[in-house]
Amino acid sequence: MQQNDKAVLVYVTYPGVEAAEQTGAALVDMGLAACVNILPGMVSIYVWEGARQRDAEAVMIVKTRATLADRVVAETLRRHSYETPAVLVLPVEGGSPRYLDWIFGQTANPAPANPSDPSVSG
């Protein structure tokens, strides 16, 4: 773990639970997320292309570390069906030390980055 690495949450909306589950499972399987929570039944109201919209959606909350956030965002965007999905990285300021340690343990050995991934620097 890098010295200044911290836990973060990545908040993502999806058109439904199935799409969120597919991406969430892949993130966990790749070691990029310790856990994802998928919350069905959300209603979103927003303006898109000049018209107010109302859609039923699902929310996925990804628990990961700051040093993996760019890869999580890139992988999420790559798999997402929306043109402009809501993908936000939110800092975690504290919490249960044992749970935070678990997040870091679960994400300690992520799958190697794809060199063509634009979120991979170096």
PDB file of all heavy atoms in Angstrom, residues 102-115:
ATOM      1  N   TRP A 102      -9.620  -4.420   5.617  1.00  0.00           N
ATOM      2  CA  TRP A 102     -10.159  -5.463   4.737  1.00  0.00           C
ATOM      3  C   TRP A 102     -10.214  -4.962   3.291  1.00  0.00           C
ATOM      4  O   TRP A 102      -9.827  -5.685   2.368  1.00  0.00           O
ATOM      5  CB  TRP A 102     -11.545  -5.895   5.215  1.00  0.00           C
ATOM      6  CG  TRP A 102     -12.172  -6.913   4.332  1.00  0.00           C
ATOM      7  CD1 TRP A 102     -11.905  -8.250   4.302  1.00  0.00           C
ATOM      8  CD2 TRP A 102     -13.171  -6.682   3.339  1.00  0.00           C
ATOM      9  NE1 TRP A 102     -12.682  -8.864   3.337  1.00  0.00           N
ATOM     10  CE2 TRP A 102     -13.464  -7.914   2.741  1.00  0.00           C
ATOM     11  CE3 TRP A 102     -13.844  -5.538   2.904  1.00  0.00           C
ATOM     12  CZ2 TRP A 102     -14.397  -8.045   1.716  1.00  0.00           C
ATOM     13  CZ3 TRP A 102     -14.778  -5.668   1.895  1.00  0.00           C
ATOM     14  CH2 TRP A 102     -15.041  -6.916   1.316  1.00  0.00           C
ATOM     15  N   ILE A 103     -10.666  -3.720   3.080  1.00  0.00           N
ATOM     16  CA  ILE A 103     -10.695  -3.152   1.725  1.00  0.00           C
ATOM     17  C   ILE A 103      -9.298  -3.190   1.124  1.00  0.00           C
ATOM     18  O   ILE A 103      -9.107  -3.627  -0.014  1.00  0.00           O
ATOM     19  CB  ILE A 103     -11.253  -1.712   1.724  1.00  0.00           C
ATOM     20  CG1 ILE A 103     -12.756  -1.717   2.042  1.00  0.00           C
ATOM     21  CG2 ILE A 103     -10.988  -1.029   0.373  1.00  0.00           C
ATOM     22  CD1 ILE A 103     -13.361  -0.328   2.232  1.00  0.00           C
ATOM     23  N   PHE A 104      -8.302  -2.740   1.882  1.00  0.00           N
ATOM     24  CA  PHE A 104      -6.931  -2.728   1.366  1.00  0.00           C
ATOM     25  C   PHE A 104      -6.410  -4.135   1.113  1.00  0.00           C
ATOM     26  O   PHE A 104      -5.713  -4.380   0.133  1.00  0.00           O
ATOM     27  CB  PHE A 104      -6.006  -1.942   2.303  1.00  0.00           C
ATOM     28  CG  PHE A 104      -6.204  -0.461   2.179  1.00  0.00           C
ATOM     29  CD1 PHE A 104      -6.830   0.249   3.187  1.00  0.00           C
ATOM     30  CD2 PHE A 104      -5.788   0.219   1.052  1.00  0.00           C
ATOM     31  CE1 PHE A 104      -7.046   1.610   3.064  1.00  0.00           C
ATOM     32  CE2 PHE A 104      -5.988   1.584   0.921  1.00  0.00           C
ATOM     33  CZ  PHE A 104      -6.619   2.279   1.925  1.00  0.00           C
ATOM     34  N   GLY A 105      -6.755  -5.067   1.972  1.00  0.00           N
ATOM     35  CA  GLY A 105      -6.331  -6.456   1.759  1.00  0.00           C
ATOM     36  C   GLY A 105      -6.939  -7.058   0.508  1.00  0.00           C
ATOM     37  O   GLY A 105      -6.263  -7.751  -0.255  1.00  0.00           O
ATOM     38  N   GLN A 106      -8.216  -6.798   0.277  1.00  0.00           N
ATOM     39  CA  GLN A 106      -8.903  -7.362  -0.891  1.00  0.00           C
ATOM     40  C   GLN A 106      -8.424  -6.759  -2.205  1.00  0.00           C
ATOM     41  O   GLN A 106      -8.565  -7.372  -3.258  1.00  0.00           O
ATOM     42  CB  GLN A 106     -10.415  -7.161  -0.767  1.00  0.00           C
ATOM     43  CG  GLN A 106     -11.056  -7.938   0.361  1.00  0.00           C
ATOM     44  CD  GLN A 106     -10.831  -9.429   0.211  1.00  0.00           C
ATOM     45  OE1 GLN A 106     -10.163 -10.053   1.013  1.00  0.00           O
ATOM     46  NE2 GLN A 106     -11.389 -10.009  -0.825  1.00  0.00           N
ATOM     47  N   THR A 107      -7.877  -5.567  -2.151  1.00  0.00           N
ATOM     48  CA  THR A 107      -7.433  -4.888  -3.372  1.00  0.00           C
ATOM     49  C   THR A 107      -5.913  -4.801  -3.470  1.00  0.00           C
ATOM     50  O   THR A 107      -5.377  -4.026  -4.251  1.00  0.00           O
ATOM     51  CB  THR A 107      -8.046  -3.476  -3.450  1.00  0.00           C
ATOM     52  OG1 THR A 107      -7.676  -2.732  -2.274  1.00  0.00           O
ATOM     53  CG2 THR A 107      -9.568  -3.530  -3.554  1.00  0.00           C
ATOM     54  N   ALA A 108      -5.226  -5.616  -2.685  1.00  0.00           N
ATOM     55  CA  ALA A 108      -3.761  -5.560  -2.638  1.00  0.00           C
ATOM     56  C   ALA A 108      -3.095  -6.086  -3.897  1.00  0.00           C
ATOM     57  O   ALA A 108      -1.995  -5.656  -4.247  1.00  0.00           O
ATOM     58  CB  ALA A 108      -3.243  -6.337  -1.424  1.00  0.00           C
ATOM     59  N   ASN A 109      -3.749  -7.006  -4.608  1.00  0.00           N
ATOM     60  CA  ASN A 109      -3.138  -7.621  -5.788  1.00  0.00           C
ATOM     61  C   ASN A 109      -4.095  -7.609  -6.971  1.00  0.00           C
ATOM     62  O   ASN A 109      -4.560  -8.657  -7.416  1.00  0.00           O
ATOM     63  CB  ASN A 109      -2.731  -9.062  -5.467  1.00  0.00           C
ATOM     64  CG  ASN A 109      -1.671  -9.113  -4.392  1.00  0.00           C
ATOM     65  OD1 ASN A 109      -0.619  -8.515  -4.523  1.00  0.00           O
ATOM     66  ND2 ASN A 109      -1.977  -9.806  -3.306  1.00  0.00           N
ATOM     67  N   PRO A 110      -4.403  -6.406  -7.502  1.00  0.00           N
ATOM     68  CA  PRO A 110      -5.321  -6.357  -8.636  1.00  0.00           C
ATOM     69  C   PRO A 110      -4.709  -7.004  -9.872  1.00  0.00           C
ATOM     70  O   PRO A 110      -3.481  -7.121  -9.986  1.00  0.00           O
ATOM     71  CB  PRO A 110      -5.540  -4.861  -8.851  1.00  0.00           C
ATOM     72  CG  PRO A 110      -4.314  -4.215  -8.297  1.00  0.00           C
ATOM     73  CD  PRO A 110      -3.887  -5.098  -7.145  1.00  0.00           C
ATOM     74  N   ALA A 111      -5.570  -7.424 -10.772  1.00  0.00           N
ATOM     75  CA  ALA A 111      -5.100  -7.975 -12.042  1.00  0.00           C
ATOM     76  C   ALA A 111      -4.226  -6.934 -12.726  1.00  0.00           C
ATOM     77  O   ALA A 111      -4.447  -5.733 -12.568  1.00  0.00           O
ATOM     78  CB  ALA A 111      -6.294  -8.330 -12.924  1.00  0.00           C
ATOM     79  N   PRO A 112      -3.223  -7.375 -13.465  1.00  0.00           N
ATOM     80  CA  PRO A 112      -2.356  -6.424 -14.151  1.00  0.00           C
ATOM     81  C   PRO A 112      -3.166  -5.504 -15.071  1.00  0.00           C
ATOM     82  O   PRO A 112      -4.150  -5.926 -15.680  1.00  0.00           O
ATOM     83  CB  PRO A 112      -1.413  -7.305 -14.973  1.00  0.00           C
ATOM     84  CG  PRO A 112      -1.454  -8.628 -14.297  1.00  0.00           C
ATOM     85  CD  PRO A 112      -2.832  -8.759 -13.707  1.00  0.00           C
ATOM     86  N   ALA A 113      -2.733  -4.266 -15.120  1.00  0.00           N
ATOM     87  CA  ALA A 113      -3.407  -3.283 -15.974  1.00  0.00           C
ATOM     88  C   ALA A 113      -3.143  -3.592 -17.438  1.00  0.00           C
ATOM     89  O   ALA A 113      -2.069  -4.066 -17.808  1.00  0.00           O
ATOM     90  CB  ALA A 113      -2.903  -1.887 -15.641  1.00  0.00           C
ATOM     91  N   ASN A 114      -4.135  -3.324 -18.238  1.00  0.00           N
ATOM     92  CA  ASN A 114      -3.998  -3.433 -19.689  1.00  0.00           C
ATOM     93  C   ASN A 114      -3.171  -2.237 -20.156  1.00  0.00           C
ATOM     94  O   ASN A 114      -3.556  -1.105 -19.925  1.00  0.00           O
ATOM     95  CB  ASN A 114      -5.394  -3.425 -20.325  1.00  0.00           C
ATOM     96  CG  ASN A 114      -5.353  -3.501 -21.828  1.00  0.00           C
ATOM     97  OD1 ASN A 114      -4.324  -3.319 -22.450  1.00  0.00           O
ATOM     98  ND2 ASN A 114      -6.503  -3.753 -22.406  1.00  0.00           N
ATOM     99  N   PRO A 115      -2.028  -2.444 -20.816  1.00  0.00           N
ATOM    100  CA  PRO A 115      -1.177  -1.334 -21.221  1.00  0.00           C
ATOM    101  C   PRO A 115      -1.868  -0.335 -22.138  1.00  0.00           C
ATOM    102  O   PRO A 115      -1.478   0.820 -22.197  1.00  0.00           O
ATOM    103  CB  PRO A 115      -0.005  -2.001 -21.959  1.00  0.00           C
ATOM    104  CG  PRO A 115      -0.100  -3.440 -21.668  1.00  0.00           C
ATOM    105  CD  PRO A 115      -1.476  -3.722 -21.195  1.00  0.00           C
TER     106      PRO A 115
END
